[in-house]
Amino acid sequence: MTITEFRCEMIFHAVGAGKALCEVTMNADVKKEPEQVRKNVATILTLLTETEEFLEEFKPNCVQSSDK
């Protein structure tokens, strides 16, 4: 697996988790408190941000590791 393939897969999983949480949040059949909606949105943003940060840190580490 190349670094690009790995990055794509990680982002795919993060977006999938965010999408699932978004679908639960948008489900009109389930009553949600406004605070829970805010928490869900914060979680989605955290998933994407932390995945992006991880991938940025991961790339230089892989390049350094392959040099050894």
Side-chain angles (χ1 to χ4, degrees):
M1 176 180 287
T2 66
I3 291 173
T4 302
E5 290 171 334
F6 177 77
R7 290 172 59 94
C8 289
E9 191 168 329
M10 290 295 292
I11 291 172
F12 175 77
H13 290 303
V15 170
K19 181 181 174 190
L21 190 52
C22 184
E23 289 172 356
V24 169
T25 301
M26 298 301 294
N27 186 347
D29 297 335
V30 179
K31 184 179 180 199
K32 292 162 290 302
E33 297 295 326
E35 181 61 25
Q36 185 60 50
V37 174
R38 283 190 286 277
K39 287 179 182 179
N40 290 357
V41 170
T43 301
I44 292 167
L45 291 173
T46 300
L47 278 168
L48 296 175
T49 302
E50 288 186 3
T51 301
E52 189 175 342
E53 289 172 0
F54 167 77
L55 292 173
E56 288 302 315
E57 291 175 10
F58 177 80
K59 186 176 181 181
N61 290 339
C62 282
V63 172
Q64 290 172 359
S65 295
S66 67
D67 290 342
K68 293 181 180 180

